[in-house]
C-alpha cells in the first residue's frame, strides 16, 4: 500500500503546485490548464497503449468536442459553459462509439493507420468547409457563463483551473480503477494474448470497444476544456501531430498507472515552455531528445521508473 | 466524366503518383524487413529535397550541363540515404530492436521531431528551390495544355524504372533474394546463414535513399519550406497501409490510384482533394482489413 | 452419461490439402480421451474446428446438444468447453494470480469496470486452483517469468477456472522435461477428477497415454484411423506402423 | 512495488517546485513615473512558413530600435524588445503573450502578422488592458466587429488592399472578360478573394469568374490547378498567396507558360520578387500590401528612406519587403504616440490608457507616406501597386507603371461593414484624380 500512498502524496502536492502557481502567476493558468487537458487526453490514449494499440488519430475526438462546443456556443450564446463541455464530451463519445465499432477490428499498425485516416478526413473536411468551420483559422468562442455566473477573464480562468484540476483528479482516479478492474485487465490482455481472451469466452473487440469508447470521451473532454480556455478551436486540435503528441506523452509518463499521463504532460509542457522562453526554434528537437532518452532509459515511462525505484528502495529497506 | 478529363488527370496524376510511389516504396521496404513503420521517413524526404536543391543551386552557378544537374539530384538522395539512413538504423533503431513495437514507432517519431528542427537550423525558414533543370528540359504540349518534360515524363519514368529495377533485384540477385528471405521470416533466414543485421542495414539505407530520392525529384518543381516532410509522411502512410504493408506492387498501384483520384478531384470536386487519399484508405481498409494486396494469415496456436 | 461433443462428416481442406477428412467422432461425458498421431495428422486442426477457431468446409459439430458449427470460439467456450494450447496462451504481462483472476471474472460473462479485479472474484477459489497446479508460491510473478512446464500448467489452470464441462488439452506435456511429465499429468488429472471434468488431450508419449487415458483415438492423415480402449488402439497394426514406428 | 520513503518524496517535489518557480521568475514594475526602460513585446514569425515575413521584420525592428536607442530612445527612455514566435501556434502564442504581459510587466505589444493570431490576441489584450498594435495582419473584421480601447492597427486592412488592387487592374487592363483565382485555403485566401470578387463585380458586372481554386495551404505542387487553368484560359489570374506557396505557383506556372496566356495579378508578390528572380516574368501586376517599396516613386531618394534601405541591405543582404515597412511604421507610431501623450499629460509619462487614447486619431509618418489612425483604431495607409519589369542593376524584376491610391478612397468608412460596403463601390472611383499614376 505504500506505493499508493506515494501516488496520493504526488497527487496532493501536484495539485497544490498547480493551484499555487496558477494563483500566484496568473499567466501560468493557461499553460497549467492546457497541461491538465493534455493529461486528461493522454489518460484516454494510455488506455489504448495498455491494450498495445497506438492511435495516431485520437486527437480527432478533441477536435469533435471542441467544434461541438464552438458550434453550440455560437448558435446559442446563452448556453452555460458546463453544458457546452458536457455536449462536447457527448459528441465525442457518440463519435467514439460509432468509429469504435469499425476500428476495434484492427490491430497494430492498421489500428493506428485507420484512426489516422479517419482523423485526416475530419481534419481536411474542417479545413475545407471554410464558411461553416472558419477553415484553418478556426472558430472563436465567446466566454460563456459558468454555472450561471458571468466571469471576467481572470475569474473564468481560475474557475476553469479548479474545475479542470478536479476533473483531472477525479478522472485519474476513475481511470486507475478501470485499469485495475476486470475490464481493464482484460484490456491489457489484448496486448499480450487475444486468443486466450477469446478462449475465456470474452470478445476482444468488445473489450477494446469499451476502452476505445472511454478514451474517446476522455480526449473529448480535454478538447472541450481546451476550447473553453483558449476561446478558440482550430483544425490543428485534430491533426495527426497532436495525436502523436498524446501518444508521446503516454509513453513519456508510462501507462503503468493513470498518474503517468499527468507526469508525462507536466514534463511535456515544461519542455515546451522552457523551449519557448529560452530556446525558441528547437522545441521539437528538445522533445525528440527527451523522448528517445526516456525510451532508452525508462521504457516503462516516468511512472515505471518511479515504481521500479520504489521497489528497489523497499528491498533495500528504505 | 469524359475521356479528355481522364487523360488530363492522368498527365498530372502520374507525376504526383511517381513521387508518392518513391517515398512509399522506401517506407514499405523498410517495414517489410525491419517491421518498423518509420515516421522519420518524411524527414528523409525533406532532407533529400533540401540537399538536392543545395547541390543543384551550386551546379547551376557553375553552369553545369543538364545531366550533371540530374546526377546531382540522385547524388543528393544517395548522400542522405547513406548518412541519415545509417545514423538512424545504427544509432537508434538497433537499440530498440527488442523493444515493444509501440516504442519502436515512437523512436522514429522522436527522430522525426529532431530532424524537423535540424532541417530548419541548416536551411533556414525561407522557401528554398532550384528549378533550373526543369526549365532546361523544356515543355511538351498535350491537348493544348503545356506540360514540363520533367514532370510529365521524367518523374514517372524514374518511378517506373525504380519499380522494375527493384522487382528485378529482389527476384534475380543474391542480395535481393536474401532481402526477400528476411522479409518472410527473419529467424529462418538467420538459420540459413543470412546476416539479417546486415540485410536490415542495407534495406534501411535503400529505403532511406528512396525516400530522399522522392524529395530530390520533387525539389526542382517546388519550393521547399519547413514542414514539407510532414504532409508527405502521412500520405505515404496511407499508400502503404492501403496497399498492404510490405507490398511493392501494391504500393505502385495504390500510388497511381491516389495520384489519379487527387487530380480528378481537383477537376470535379476540389473540396475533396485533400481528403481523397484518406477516404480511399478508409474505404479499402473497411473492406480489406490488411490492405488491398495482403493475404491474411491465420495465427498458429 | 450423454454425448458431450459429436462431429458428423467434418471436413476441412485448405487449397487442396485435406486437414480433416469427413470425421465422424463423439465423446461421452466422463471419458478421458488421448489423441495420438504424427505431426500434421490433423489433431490440432480438429480441435481448432471443434472450438470454432477454424471454420469447417463441410460437416457439423454439436457440443452439449447444440449445433456449434461455425460459431466463434468465445460462444462455444461459454457453453462449457475449455481449452489449453500446445503453445501456452497466457497474459504474459500479468501475474500468475491475475491470469487466473481474469479467467474467474470472465466466467460470469460480465466484466466489472470499477471494482478491482481481485475483489470481483472469489480469492479462495483462486488460492485453491493455484494450490492444485502447484503455482501458489509463484502467484505474484509475471506469467512471462515462468518456465515452460509451469506455463503449461497455468494455461490449463486458466481453462479450468472456467469450470468447463469438457477440457481439451493440446499436448500438455510437450516442452516439459521427460522426468516431470508424469508429475504434471498426475497434477492435472487430480484437478480434473476433483471437478469431474471430461477431458481430451493430445499426447505423444505412449506411457502417459496408456496410464491416464480411458480411450485413445489415433489420427492419420486427417482421419480417425483407430479409436477405442488404449491397449487395443496402441496395439493395432496401423498405429504401430504409422504413429509409433514400432512395427 | 513498495514505497519510496515519504521524506524522500517531499524533498524531491520541493526541488522540482524550486526549479519551476525559477522558470517563472517575476520582475516588479513601477507605474506612473518615467520607467527605466520601455519594454515592447513583439510577436513575429521566426518559424513556420510565414517566417518569410517575420524574420525580415524582426531584423527591421532590431535596426530601428538600435538607431532610436542610439539617439536617446523614446523621450529619453531606452527600448527593450521582447520577441515572441508566432510560429508556435495560436495556443502557445497566447500563453507566451500572457507570460510576457503578466510576468514581465510589458504594457505595449506589437502583434501580430497572422490574421488568425490578431483575432485571438485582440480580445485578450483588451482584457489585460495592454496596448496592442496590430502591425501587419490584414483582417478587417477584427476592428469592425467590435470597438476596442486598447487595440489599434498602424496599417491598411484587407479591404483597402484588395479594392486598390481592383482599381489598379481596371485602370491598366480594363478589357478582360474572365478571371480565375488560385488562393491559399485559409482565412486570408478566402476573405481576400471575397472582397476582391465583390468589388470587381460592383465595378465591372460583366466579368465571369471561371474558376475558384483553393489548394491547401503549403501545397507543394500546383500541376493540376495549372492544367485546369490552361484548359480554361482565363484573361486574368489572381492569387493573393505568399511565401513558399506563391513561389511554387509562380515557378510552375512559368515553366508551363501560363504567364503567356493570362494576365497575372499577385498583390503580395513584392515580398517574393527577390527570391523568385527571373522566375517572375515581366508584366505581372504586383503589390506589397500598402504604400511601400524600396523604389517608392516619391521616397526612393528621400534621405531617411534611402539610408534605411541601405543599412537594411547591408545587414540582411536583401531589399526590405513590406513587413519591414509595417514594422517600422508601427514602431514609429508608438514613438509618436508617446510624444503626443506626454504633451497631453503635461510632460508626465503616460499611463497605458493615455497612450491608447493617443494612438487613436494619431498622424504619423514611417518611411513613406503619412498614415492616419481613425477613431475605430484602423490605420489609413495608401496603396502602391505596379507592374513587373526587368531593370539593369537588379537580379529580379522591379515595379514600373506604379500607382498610388489614397487609402480613404478604398477603405470601408467607420461604422460600416466591409462585405456590404464593397458592393456599393461606384465606377467613378476609377476616375478619381487623387489616384496618382507614375509613368
Amino acid at each position: 500500500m505504500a506505493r499508493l500512498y506515494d501516488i496520493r502524496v504526488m497527487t496532493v502536492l501536484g495539485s497544490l503546485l498547480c493551484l499555487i502557481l496558477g494563483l500566484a502567476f496568473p499567466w501560468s493558468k493557461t499553460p497549467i490548464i492546457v497541461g491538465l487537458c493534455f493529461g486528461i487526453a493522454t489518460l484516454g490514449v494510455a488506455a489504448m497503449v495498455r491494450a498495445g494499440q497506438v492511435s495516431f488519430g485520437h486527437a480527432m475526438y478533441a477536435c469533435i468536442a471542441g467544434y461541438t462546443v464552438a458550434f453550440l456556443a455560437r448558435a446559442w450564446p446563452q448556453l452555460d459553459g458546463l453544458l457546452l463541455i458536457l455536449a462536447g464530451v457527448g459528441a465525442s463519445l457518440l463519435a467514439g462509439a460509432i468509429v469504435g465499432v469499425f476500428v476495434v477490428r484492427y490491430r497494430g499498425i492498421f489500428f493506428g493507420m485507420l484512426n489516422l485516416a479517419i482523423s485526416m478526413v475530419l481534419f481536411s473536411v474542417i479545413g475545407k468547409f471554410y464558411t461553416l468551420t472558419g477553415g484553418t483559422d478556426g472558430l472563436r468562442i465567446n466566454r460563456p457563463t459558468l454555472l450561471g455566473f458571468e466571469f471576467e477573464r481572470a475569474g473564468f480562468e481560475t474557475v476553469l483551473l479548479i474545475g479542470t484540476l478536479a476533473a483531472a483528479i477525479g478522472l485519474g482516479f476513475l481511470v486507475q480503477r478501470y485499469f485495475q478492474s476486470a475490464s481493464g485487465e482484460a484490456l491489457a490482455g489484448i496486448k499480450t494474448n487475444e486468443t486466450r481472451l477469446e478462449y475465456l469466452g470474452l470478445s476482444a473487440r468488445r473489450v477494446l470497444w469499451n476502452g476505445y469508447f472511454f478514451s474517446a470521451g476522455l480526449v473529448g473532454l480535454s478538447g472541450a476544456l481546451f476550447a473553453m480556455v483558449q476561446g478558440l478551436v482550430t483544425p490543428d486540435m485534430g491533426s495527426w501531430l497532436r495525436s502523436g503528441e498524446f501518444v508521446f506523452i503516454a509513453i513519456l509518463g508510462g501507462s503503468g498507472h493513470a498518474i503517468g499521463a499527468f507526469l508525462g504532460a507536466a514534463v511535456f509542457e515544461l519542455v515546451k515552455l522552457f523551449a519557448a522562453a529560452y530556446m525558441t526554434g528547437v522545441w521539437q528537437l528538445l522533445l525528440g531528445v527527451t523522448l528517445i532518452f526516456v525510451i532508452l532509459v525508462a521504457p516503462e515511462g516516468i511512472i515505471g521508473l518511479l515504481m521500479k525505484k520504489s521497489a528497489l528502495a523497499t528491498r533495500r529497506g528504505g | 466524366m469524359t475521356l479528355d478529363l481522364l487523360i488530363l488527370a492522368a498527365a498530372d496524376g502520374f507525376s504526383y503518383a511517381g513521387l508518392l510511389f518513391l517515398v512509399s516504396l522506401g517506407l514499405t521496404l523498410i517495414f517489410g524487413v525491419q517491421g518498423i513503420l518509420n515516421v522519420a521517413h518524411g524527414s528523409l524526404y525533406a532532407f533529400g529535397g533540401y540537399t538536392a536543391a543545395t547541390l543543384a543551386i551550386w551546379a547551376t552557378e557553375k553552369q553545369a550541363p543538364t545531366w550533371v544537374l540530374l546526377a546531382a539530384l540522385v547524388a543528393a538522395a544517395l548522400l542522405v540515404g547513406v548518412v541519415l539512413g545509417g545514423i538512424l538504423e545504427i544509432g537508434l533503431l538497433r537499440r530498440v530492436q527488442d523493444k515493444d513495437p509501440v516504442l519502436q514507432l515512437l523512436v522514429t517519431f522522436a527522430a522525426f521531431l529532431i530532424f524537423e528542427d535540424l532541417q530548419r537550423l541548416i536551411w533556414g525558414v525561407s522557401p528554398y528551390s532550384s528549378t533550373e533543370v526543369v526549365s532546361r528540359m523544356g515543355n511538351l504540349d498535350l491537348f493544348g495544355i503545356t506540360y514540363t518534360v520533367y514532370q510529365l515524363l521524367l518523374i514517372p519514368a524514374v518511378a517506373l524504372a525504380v519499380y522494375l529495377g527493384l522487382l528485378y533485384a529482389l527476384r534475380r540477385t543474391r542480395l535481393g533474394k536474401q532481402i526477400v528471405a528476411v522479409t518472410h521470416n527473419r529467424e529462418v533466414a538467420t538459420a540459413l546463414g543470412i546476416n539479417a543485421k546486415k540485410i536490415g542495414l542495407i534495406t534501411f539505407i535503400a529505403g532511406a535513399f528512396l525516400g530522399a530520392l522522392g524529395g530530390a525529384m520533387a525539389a526542382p518543381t517546388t519550393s521547399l519550406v519547413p514542414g514539407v516532410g510532414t504532409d508527405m509522411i502521412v500520405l505515404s502512410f496511407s499508400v502503404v497501409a492501403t496497399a498492404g504493408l510490405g507490398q511493392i506492387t501494391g504500393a505502385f498501384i495504390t500510388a497511381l490510384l491516389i495520384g489519379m483520384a487527387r487530380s480528378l478531384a481537383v477537376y470535379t470536386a476540389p473540396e475533396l482533394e485533400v481528403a481523397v487519399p484518406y477516404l480511399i484508405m478508409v474505404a479499402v481498409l473497411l473492406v480489406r482489413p490488411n490492405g488491398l494486396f495482403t493475404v491474411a494469415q491465420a495465427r498458429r496456436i | 452419461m450423454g454425448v458431450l461433443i459429436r462431429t458428423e462428416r467434418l471436413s476441412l481442406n485448405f487449397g487442396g490439402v485435406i486437414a480433416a477428412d469427413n470425421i465422424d467422432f463423439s465423446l461421452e461425458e466422463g471419458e478421458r480421451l488421448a489423441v495420438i498421431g504424427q505431426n500434421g495428422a490433423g489433431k490440432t486442426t480438429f480441435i481448432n474446428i471443434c472450438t470454432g477457431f477454424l471454420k469447417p468446409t463441410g460437416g457439423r459439430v454439436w457440443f452439449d446438444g447444440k449445433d456449434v458449427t461455425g460459431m466463434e470460439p468465445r460462444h462455444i467456450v461459454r457453453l462449457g468447453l475449455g481449452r489449453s494450447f500446445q503453445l501456452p496462451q497466457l497474459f504474459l504481462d500479468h501475474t500468475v494470480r491475475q491470469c487466473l483472476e481474469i479467467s474467474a471474472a470472465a466466467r460470469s460473462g460480465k466484466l466489472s469496470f470499477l471494482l478491482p479485479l481481485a475483489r470481483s472474484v472469489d480469492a479462495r477459489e483462486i488460492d485453491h486452483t493455484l494450490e492444485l497446479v502447484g503455482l501458489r508460491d509463484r502467484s505474484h510473478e509475471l506469467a512471462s517469468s515462468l518456465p515452460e512446464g509451469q506455463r503449461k500448467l497455468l494455461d490449463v489452470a486458466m481453462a479450468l477456472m472456467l469450470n468447463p464441462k469438457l477440457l481439451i488439452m493440446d499436448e500438455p506435456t510437450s516442452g516439459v522435461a521427460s522426468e516431470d511429465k508424469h508429475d504434471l499429468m498426475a497434477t492435472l488429472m487430480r484437478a480434473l477428477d476433483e471437478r469431474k471434468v471430461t477431458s481430451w488431450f493430445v499426447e505423444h508419449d505412449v506411457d502417459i497415454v496408456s496410464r491416464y487415458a480411458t480411450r485413445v483415438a489415433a489420427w492419420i492423415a486427417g482421419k480417425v484411423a483407430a479409436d477405442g480402449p488404449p491397449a487395443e488402439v496402441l496395439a493395432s497394426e496401423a498405429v504401430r506402423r504409422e504413429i509409433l514406428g514400432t512395427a | 512495488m513498495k514505497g519510496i520513503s515519504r521524506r524522500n518524496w517531499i524533498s524531491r517535489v520541493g526541488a522540482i517546485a524550486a526549479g519551476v518557480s525559477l522558470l517563472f521568475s517575476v520582475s516588479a514594475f513601477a507605474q506612473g513615473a518615467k520607467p527605466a526602460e520601455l519594454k515592447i513585446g513583439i510577436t513575429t514569425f521566426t518559424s513556420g512558413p510565414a517566417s518569410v515575413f517575420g524574420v525580415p521584420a524582426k531584423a527591421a525592428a532590431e535596426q530601428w530600435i538600435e538607431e532610436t536607442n542610439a539617439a536617446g530612445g523614446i523621450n529619453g527612455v531606452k527600448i527593450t524588445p521582447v520577441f515572441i514566435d508566432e510560429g508556435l501556434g495560436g495556443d502557445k502564442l497566447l500563453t507566451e503573450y500572457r507570460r510576457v504581459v503578466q510576468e514581465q510587466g510589458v504594457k505595449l505589444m506589437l502583434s501580430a502578422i497572422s490574421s488568425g493570431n490578431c483575432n485571438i490576441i485582440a480580445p485578450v489584450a483588451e482584457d489585460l488592458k495592454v496596448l496592442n498594435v496590430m502591425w501587419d495582419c490584414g483582417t478587417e473584421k477584427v476592428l469592425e466587429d467590435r470597438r476596442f480601447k486598447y487595440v489599434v492597427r498602424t496599417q491598411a486592412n484587407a479591404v483597402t488592399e484588395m479594392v486598390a488592387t481592383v482599381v489598379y487592374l481596371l485602370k491598366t487592363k480594363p478589357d478582360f472578360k474572365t478571371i480565375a483565382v488560385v488562393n491559399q485555403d485559409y482565412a486570408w485566401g478566402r476573405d481576400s478573394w471575397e472582397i476582391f470578387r465583390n468589388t470587381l463585380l460592383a465595378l465591372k458586372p460583366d466579368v465571369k469568374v471561371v474558376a475558384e481554386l483553393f489548394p491547401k495551404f503549403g501545397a507543394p505542387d500546383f500541376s493540376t490547378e495549372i492544367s485546369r487553368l490552361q484548359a480554361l484560359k482565363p484573361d486574368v489570374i489572381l492569387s493573393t498567396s505568399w511565401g513558399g506557396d506563391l513561389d511554387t505557383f509562380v515557378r510552375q506556372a512559368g515553366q508551363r507558360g501560363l504567364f503567356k496566356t493570362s494576365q497575372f495579378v499577385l498583390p503580395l508578390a513584392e515580398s517574393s520578387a527577390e527570391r523568385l528572380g527571373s522566375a517572375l516574368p515581366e508584366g505581372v501586376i504586383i503589390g506589397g500590401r500598402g504604400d511601400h517599396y524600396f523604389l517608392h516613386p516619391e521616397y526612393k531618394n528621400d534621405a531617411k528612406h534611402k539610408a534605411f534601405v541601405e543599412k537594411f541591405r547591408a545587414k540582411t543582404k536583401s531589399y526590405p519587403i513590406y513587413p519591414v515597412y509595417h514594422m517600422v511604421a508601427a514602431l514609429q507610431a508608438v514613438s509618436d504616440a508617446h510624444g503626443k501623450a506626454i504633451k497631453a499629460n503635461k510632460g508626465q509619462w503616460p499611463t497605458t490608457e493615455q497612450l491608447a487614447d493617443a494612438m487613436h486619431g494619431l498622424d504619423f509618418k514611417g518611411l513613406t507616406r503619412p498614415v492616419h489612425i481613425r477613431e475605430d483604431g484602423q490605420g489609413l495607409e495608401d496603396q502602391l501597386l505596379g507592374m513587373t519589369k526587368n531593370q539593369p542593376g537588379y537580379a529580379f524584376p522591379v515595379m514600373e507603371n506604379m500607382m498610388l491610391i489614397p487609402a480613404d478612397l478604398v477603405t470601408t468608412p467607420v461604422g460600416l461593414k466591409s462585405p456590404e460596403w464593397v458592393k456599393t463601390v461606384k465606377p467613378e472611383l476609377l476616375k478619381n484624380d487623387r489616384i496618382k499614376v507614375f509613368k
Side-chain angles (χ1 to χ4, degrees), chain C:
Chain C
M1 291 282 165
V3 173
L4 201 49
I5 191 160
R6 182 164 72 84
T7 70
E8 190 181 285
R9 301 184 65 75
L10 198 66
S11 53
L12 177 71
N13 99 48
F14 328 84
V17 179
I18 297 166
D21 190 0
N22 285 311
I23 301 176
D24 291 317
F25 170 88
S26 70
L27 188 71
E28 305 238 335
E29 272 177 50
E31 282 192 288
R32 191 180 283 168
L33 170 77
V35 169
I36 56 172
Q38 295 281 31
N39 284 332
K43 306 179 298 288
T44 301
T45 304
F46 185 65
I47 297 174
N48 282 342
I49 302 173
C50 288
T51 61
F53 192 77
L54 294 173
K55 310 281 172 255
T57 44
R60 309 218 69 82
V61 185
W62 285 268
F63 177 73
D64 202 18
K66 290 181 194 71
D67 185 346
V68 297
T69 321
M71 264 162 73
E72 292 293 331
R74 62 174 175 280
H75 297 129
I76 304 176
V77 168
R78 302 211 64 79
L79 293 174
L81 194 158
R83 176 185 178 183
S84 76
F85 300 79
Q86 193 179 345
L87 306 165
Q89 301 291 318
L90 308 174
F91 299 129
L92 293 175
D93 288 350
H94 286 86
T95 64
V96 170
R97 190 181 184 89
Q98 283 175 324
C99 284
L100 292 184
E101 284 171 347
I102 296 172
S103 284
R107 196 166 58 206
S108 71
K110 271 206 169 298
L111 300 180
S112 65
F113 285 103
L114 292 176
L115 191 62
L117 173 62
R119 277 202 264 149
S120 64
V121 296
D122 180 355
R124 281 168 313 175
E125 194 192 346
I126 309 276
D127 289 338
H128 183 72
T129 308
L130 283 168
E131 194 76 65
L132 200 63
V133 293
L135 286 171
R136 182 94 201 232
D137 43 341
R138 309 204 70 153
S139 67
H140 289 290
E141 290 179 37
L142 288 182
S144 56
S145 69
L146 296 181
E148 184 65 16
Q150 291 188 323
R151 287 191 188 201
K152 287 270 182 185
L153 281 171
L154 179 57
D155 193 42
V156 176
M158 286 177 80
L160 214 48
M161 251 355 273
L162 298 171
N163 290 345
K165 294 178 185 135
L166 168 65
L167 177 63
I168 303 177
M169 294 171 283
D170 197 351
E171 304 201 14
T173 66
S174 71
V176 178
S178 51
E179 61 269 26
D180 297 336
K181 283 188 182 181
H182 279 280
D183 282 354
L184 191 150
M185 281 310 280
T187 310
L188 285 181
M189 293 307 148
R190 200 168 57 236
L192 293 175
D193 283 345
E194 187 193 279
R195 297 179 190 210
K196 300 193 172 46
V197 179
T198 309
S199 65
W200 151 6
F201 59 94
V202 176
E203 182 55 64
H204 289 288
D205 190 314
V206 179
D207 258 10
I208 288 182
V209 170
S210 38
R211 170 138 17 140
Y212 297 102
T214 61
R215 175 181 156 195
V216 176
W219 247 252
I220 297 174
K223 275 190 188 187
V224 187
D227 188 352
E232 198 177 294
V233 172
L234 291 174
S236 80
E237 165 88 30
V239 170
R240 289 180 51 185
R241 190 179 59 239
E242 300 282 338
I243 302 174
L244 306 174
T246 52

Side-chain angles (χ1 to χ4, degrees), chain B residues 223-236:
Chain B
S223 300
L224 297 158
V225 287
V228 276
T230 317
D231 288 341
M232 204 51 178
I233 187 63
V234 259
L235 261 177
S236 52

Side-chain angles (χ1 to χ4, degrees), chain A residues 18-65:
Chain A
C18 286
L19 281 178
I20 293 169
L21 278 179
L23 298 176
F25 310 105
W27 65 268
S28 72
K29 276 186 264 182
T30 332
I32 291 173
I33 297 171
V34 170
L36 288 169
C37 285
F38 270 74
I40 293 173
T42 304
L43 277 179
V45 174
M48 293 293 100
V49 171
R50 277 177 81 90
Q53 308 304 319
V54 180
S55 162
F56 269 89
H58 252 59
M60 72 177 137
Y61 296 108
C63 204
I64 289 170

